[in-house]
Amino acid sequence: MVNDQAVKTQKKKFETETKQVLELFAKWLYQNREIFLRELVSNASDANDKLKMLALKDESLFAGDADLKIWVQYNKEANTLSVRDNGIGMSLEDVIENLGTIAKSGTKQFIEKLSQEQSSDANGQLIGQFGVGFYSSLCVSEKVEVRTLKAGLPKDQGVFWSSNGVDDYEVAPMELQSRGTEIVMYLKEDAKEFLDEFRLRKIITTYSDHIAYPIVMFVEKTLEGETDKDQKPRKEIQEEVVNQANAIWTVPKKEIKDEEYQAFYKHVSHDFNLPLAWTHNKVEGGKLEYTSLLYIPTEAPFDLWNREYKHGLKLYVQRVFILDDAKNLLPTYLRFVKGVVDSNDLPLNVSREVLQNSQTVDMIRSGCVKRVLDLLGYLAEHEADKYQKFWDAFGAVLKEGPAEDFANKDKIAGLLRFTSTKCDSEKQTLSLDQYIERMAKDQDKIYYVIADGYDSAKNSPHLELFSEKGIEVLLLSDRVDEWLVSRLTEYQGKSLVSVARGELDSNMKLDEKSEEDLKKTEADFEDILKRIKESLSDRVKDVRVSKRLTSSASCIVADDDEMSANLRRMLIDSGQSVPEMKPILELNLKHALLQRLKSEMQDDKFADISHILLDQAILSEGGSLDNPSAFVKRMNDLVS
């Protein structure tokens, strides 16, 4: 059997990204190395959960052993520590996929961030946040061995995996008597502290007391009243459950300590950081009964914006684990929320398809959304610093809300934060309610400008008249802002209006004298405007006198019903086709370039300056030119 196994043993290289992570692990350990045990126990709990879920449809998977547990065992003589479960187990294909590759999205960003950091503390937090689970065992081990048999497979299809975490690993078939997974760690010399019974107990009760399965340790017990042949108290090794094995969400809130809530969050989220806030709620009586325990993380994960980001709550039905990413329980704009929902009203064999068409799920979803938004509202009102920390991490995600959740649009809008022309920095701290409170006396609209960056927005020529009149304008520069304002068109009866669209409204009317002066100047430039329009006929929709410019020579605007230039650029950058659109060019007739045009009689020079005015307007709002070299040549000719 040994020789036969040796023949079948495969030696494989770790994939490049996995190897990079392992090398970083060798250099930087967890801030608290004990975290490795929490990760392995958590993985074992997940394996038990998955078996329990699959056994709902195929009870034969239990194979007569439905008593799911997790075992932690140490051996001082062999210098080993092992974690074992009798859960779902793995096949050969599962082992190669899960233990030879870090398949989680965001790996590249994680590696880059980890490589940049220098302190062990910082890297401990990053590794924990990334949640690489099994690989944490290599932080304390010279070598790690895995023995596993997938539920439902014959005994001779067990798998043996081994690696020192440096360059490669070995995998081979192995006959095993029972399903599940055992991880055996040959501890490093400086990690022998984890061979102490009381040290292990403390770690388990600190991080994993809430695990819903018994965590069993093999401990030496003195048998009362019994002696050996030397008349010494007789001892034997016994199994002892060291955790409470309670589903924490089923315990009354008043009986749960903050430390227990925090420990459960780390288990359910695989996050090293403490949660920012949480809400624990039980709904009973009436048509619906369920319990929710929902957490707001402190920091955003690396892959929050990745399409493959795994989000959703863990779903239990009558304390039986069903799904670990029940996306139907929360809308996408709340995908950062972690936690569990336990329902008494769903069938145990509920599927993802059933979840999509369930009135019960819709009611639970509505309740969870309310709990999260109420929690955020409380933080915004009573714990501003904590809410600002949330906004810095997840504000751009919350901005998706008004488009996705019409029923809660106003509540979400009240939670949004912005920066503006009257703020001291690009940090988004201003609420719409605060904006309304300090609006100008006769102002009845909320003004905003959108650009591809804060500096571009702050220096937009569209702001000049607004700044002169002391009217505050929101500066929007997140990619999601175009999507936000297309759905959030008013708040508290005030319309949201772009300063770069259409004609200026009544709030921005010039005084009578300025209006008369403008009309007179416009009459003087009537022929000039016609010539400019003719010169730019293939590039602009119209040319008109600007009322919004006071110092810049030109700017481009879009009609109210047209796509903005910024949105058009974003769609093109994302690979989407967009219809050809020509902007409106607005000109400041008091500017020196316009005065120069008035005296320029040569057609070619006139055309060059006209194109320069348009190109400058495009560049000033963050756009790019189709022919930048032509712009440079025209500018050089003009200057020389």
Side-chain angles (χ1 to χ4, degrees), residues 545-556:
V545 177
S546 178
K547 295 181 180 179
R548 63 189 100 214
L549 297 176
T550 60
S551 57
S552 298
S554 58
C555 68
I556 57 173

Side-chain angles (χ1 to χ4, degrees), residues 470-512:
I471 293 179
E472 187 171 19
V473 179
L474 301 178
L475 306 177
L476 309 184
S477 56
D478 290 335
R479 290 184 66 83
V480 70
D481 284 332
E482 287 279 5
W483 181 248
L484 170 66
V485 296
S486 69
R487 297 300 187 273
L488 185 65
T489 56
E490 68 90 27
Y491 179 71
Q492 302 293 2
K494 312 290 185 183
S495 299
L496 271 72
V497 176
S498 170
V499 300
R501 282 181 178 274
E503 297 277 3
L504 291 178
D505 57 54
S506 57
N507 286 327
M508 302 304 297
K509 277 185 177 179
L510 301 176
D511 58 60
E512 190 174 335

Side-chain angles (χ1 to χ4, degrees), residues 177-193:
Q177 298 304 309
S178 58
R179 65 157 197 274
T181 300
E182 180 181 27
I183 298 171
V184 180
M185 292 157 281
Y186 292 82
L187 297 179
K188 294 178 179 179
E189 192 65 29
D190 62 354
K192 288 187 176 181
E193 61 180 292

